[in-house]
Amino acid sequence: MSERAAGSGGTIRAIGLLSGGLDSTLAAKVLLEQGIDVVGLHYSTGFCMNDHRRAMARPDEDPKRLRNEGLRAGADLGIPIEVLDAGEAYLKMVLNPKHGYGKRANPCIDCRSRASD
């Protein structure tokens, strides 16, 4: 999503969904290389293994396994990152999907639908 600032020739701004994986990191980098002002948005559902490892706080754990990859990617790119804690809403949707459960390989059709209320 991008928007032009007020007035002609204004700064182009974008929100980049940044998981920390290669695809989202490269997409944000391409935008930056085009002179677009990017702010990263990273969703945290609480189901990421790194989140679990941080919560367990084992002293012998490799620090690279504890880092938030979205924050790391933002730091590497030099862009600000907003972390949205979607854990409670995500868990509510998964446990009680608004449209019920599908069959076989599609157990939760809400995951494939528009935003759940």
Side-chain angles (χ1 to χ4, degrees), residues 18-20 42 54 67-77 79-83:
L18 198 58
S19 68
H42 177 79
R54 276 192 298 278
R67 67 186 177 192
N68 180 305
E69 291 298 323
L71 293 176
R72 186 231 9 108
D76 289 351
L77 294 169
I79 63 173
I81 301 292
E82 294 288 330
V83 177

Side-chain angles (χ1 to χ4, degrees), residues 6-75:
S8 64
T11 303
I12 299 174
R13 298 172 50 199
I15 296 172
L17 299 178
L18 198 58
S19 68
L22 182 60
D23 294 344
S24 62
T25 303
L26 289 176
K29 183 159 180 64
V30 167
L31 293 174
L32 288 170
E33 289 176 349
Q34 294 177 28
I36 297 172
D37 184 21
V38 179
V39 174
L41 178 60
H42 177 79
Y43 284 92
S44 175
T45 63
F47 291 99
C48 174
M49 285 304 295
N50 289 354
D51 291 340
H52 175 72
R53 289 183 183 111
R54 276 192 298 278
M56 298 303 292
R58 291 190 239 164
D60 61 337
E61 191 73 57
D62 177 3
K64 286 184 178 181
R65 294 181 76 186
L66 297 178
R67 67 186 177 192
N68 180 305
E69 291 298 323
L71 293 176
R72 186 231 9 108

